Amino acid sequence: MADIGYDGKVAIITGAGGGLGRSHALEMAHRGARIVVNDLGGSVSGEGGDVSAAQAVVQEIEALGGEAVADTNSVATAEGGKAVVQTALDAFGTVDIVINNAGILRDKTFHNLTPELLEPVLQVHLFGAFYVTQPAWQIMREKGYGRVINTSSNSGILGNFGQANYGAAKMGLVGFTRVLANEGRKANIKVNAIAPVAKTRMTEELFGAAGDPMAPELVTPVVAYLASEDCDVTGEIYSVAGGVVARFFIGLTPGYYKRDLTVEDVRDHLDDIRDVEGFIIPEGPQDELKKLFETVSGGTEGKLS
Ligand SMILES: NC(=O)c1ccc[n+]([C@@H]2O[C@H](COP(=O)([O-])OP(=O)(O)OC[C@H]3O[C@@H](n4cnc5c(N)ncnc54)[C@H](O)[C@@H]3O)[C@@H](O)[C@H]2O)c1
């Protein structure tokens, strides 16, 4: 089979001035994508700004013979999101791929969380994905082609201590991914999420030397595949770190059924309710609803299988 290439397709990569986004930008440009390197160049906590971050990555791409343009708009507002997409249109005339990667951290245990620690985190990660993807989505729908990759995290999927703000934003991106996957199906727009682990400025203190095998370049192959025409999946979540790729999925246990369910039934049958044997992985609400309607319209009471 031929190697994966992008044949001049236009990719917006947010937060691509360093870390994971820079790595995605370099690899995809090398394979023929035209890149909008978006980054406002702030600190890990989202303070300040430095236009040179995005510019430096554009220079790296150009030095390797690729095509890229810098964009320093913040993804955190609707105007900013539109402006990022406008940069793609002005430079390259279209957009085919959006990689929502920009992010900040403002960690605090929940009882100490303030609006100043909560709102910017939701705005950059979650609202930012809405604001950049929506204007691009209109274009993708019209041309019947698109790829969107959202950067989630095990902090939300699994629940990391001290990250209620970040975790909620990252799990919000899972819902966003799954709804868009559904809505994009008919227009050949594929939407997936990754939950990466990599040694970047965001994690280097936390991981120390143990993070050395977790180079951002080992996350990029999954993103580059999901962004390609070859991508064969939609609505999925991939765990990616240090060369390991796996799939997170949302499963549903068979459960327990009683027509006149009581509080005591829940207490007495908790093990049945939680038993994972025979679980399913619903592709969408229709799969859960089908089972539910079958059961409540005359199914046998008790532990379900
Ligand atoms: N490194 C990891 O182990 C890890 C784990 C899970 C998820 N992630 C996610 O991966 C993404 C990339 O993180 P990273 O580790 O490369 O860290 P990073 O700090 O190097 O990259 C984040 C980039 O986003 C940019 N950014 C922040 N706010 C922005 C805004 N409003 N508009 C545009 N750009 C903005 C920053 O300037 C920065 O360059 C983030 O969404 C992060 O939450 C990283």
Side-chain angles (χ1 to χ4, degrees):
M1 250 192 259
D3 283 355
I4 287 178
Y6 299 95
D7 201 18
K9 289 216 160 47
V10 176
I12 292 172
I13 307 179
T14 70
L20 288 164
R22 169 183 166 274
S23 168
H24 307 335
L26 287 169
E27 179 68 24
M28 289 175 60
H30 172 67
R31 290 172 180 267
R34 294 178 288 166
I35 311 283
V36 175
V37 178
N38 158 266
D39 206 305
L40 57 64
S43 66
V44 171
S45 59
E47 267 112 21
D50 177 3
V51 295
S52 65
Q55 204 45 261
V57 174
V58 169
Q59 278 161 13
E60 279 188 272
I61 290 173
E62 286 174 347
L64 296 166
E67 264 189 89
V69 63
D71 176 280
T72 54
N73 289 291
S74 171
V75 302
T77 65
E79 300 71 45
K82 271 191 210 146
V84 178
V85 174
Q86 193 59 47
T87 298
L89 296 180
D90 292 344
F92 305 124
T94 191
V95 56
D96 304 283
I97 299 160
V98 172
I99 299 174
N100 290 306
N101 167 80
I104 60 170
L105 285 181
R106 294 197 179 179
D107 294 356
K108 203 57 111 181
T109 43
F110 181 54
H111 61 278
N112 289 317
L113 203 60
T114 60
E116 294 69 39
L117 297 170
L118 169 64
E119 288 163 12
V121 170
L122 291 176
Q123 276 156 3
V124 175
H125 293 275
L126 187 57
F127 295 9
F130 278 81
Y131 294 146
V132 177
T133 309
Q134 201 185 37
W137 191 258
Q138 315 292 2
I139 298 161
M140 293 175 180
R141 269 171 52 94
E142 275 164 28
K143 65 171 155 186
Y145 184 85
R147 299 287 182 263
V148 178
I149 296 99
N150 297 312
T151 311
S152 183
S153 169
N154 59 16
S155 296
I157 297 169
L158 303 177
N160 200 26
F161 189 94
Q163 293 194 308
N165 50 359
Y166 182 79
K170 290 307 201 187
M171 200 56 186
L173 285 170
V174 170
F176 179 66
T177 299
R178 292 181 68 86
V179 172
L180 262 59
N182 239 324
E183 294 189 9
R185 229 175 225 112
K186 275 196 195 141
N188 188 22
I189 307 175
K190 294 190 174 150
V191 187
N192 291 285
I194 60 156
V197 181
K199 186 173 177 175
T200 66
R201 68 176 193 169
M202 216 181 237
T203 53
E204 61 193 350
E205 247 176 67
L206 183 73
F207 293 158
D212 288 349
M214 312 268 198
E217 288 72 21
L218 289 170
V219 172
T220 293
V222 174
V223 172
Y225 167 73
L226 295 173
S228 75
E229 219 167 323
D230 288 35
C231 172
D232 225 7
V233 292
T234 192
E236 302 204 334
I237 314 155
Y238 290 91
S239 156
V240 199
V244 179
V245 189
R247 177 184 168 206
F248 274 117
F249 59 85
I250 294 164
L252 182 69
T253 65
Y256 171 84
Y257 169 54
K258 193 167 158 221
R259 208 162 289 111
D260 305 310
L261 189 74
T262 66
V263 183
E264 290 71 28
D265 287 330
V266 177
R267 177 194 62 201
D268 299 342
H269 293 277
L270 202 56
D271 286 347
D272 292 339
I273 295 166
R274 297 182 68 247
D275 188 357
V276 297
E277 198 182 327
F279 74 87
I280 61 163
I281 306 170
E283 273 201 17
Q286 70 282 0
D287 289 352
E288 185 192 15
L289 289 174
K290 184 168 168 278
K291 278 199 80 176
L292 276 174
F293 282 119
E294 275 166 18
T295 305
V296 300
S297 62
T300 314
E301 289 184 313
K303 186 173 188 296
L304 299 170
S305 55

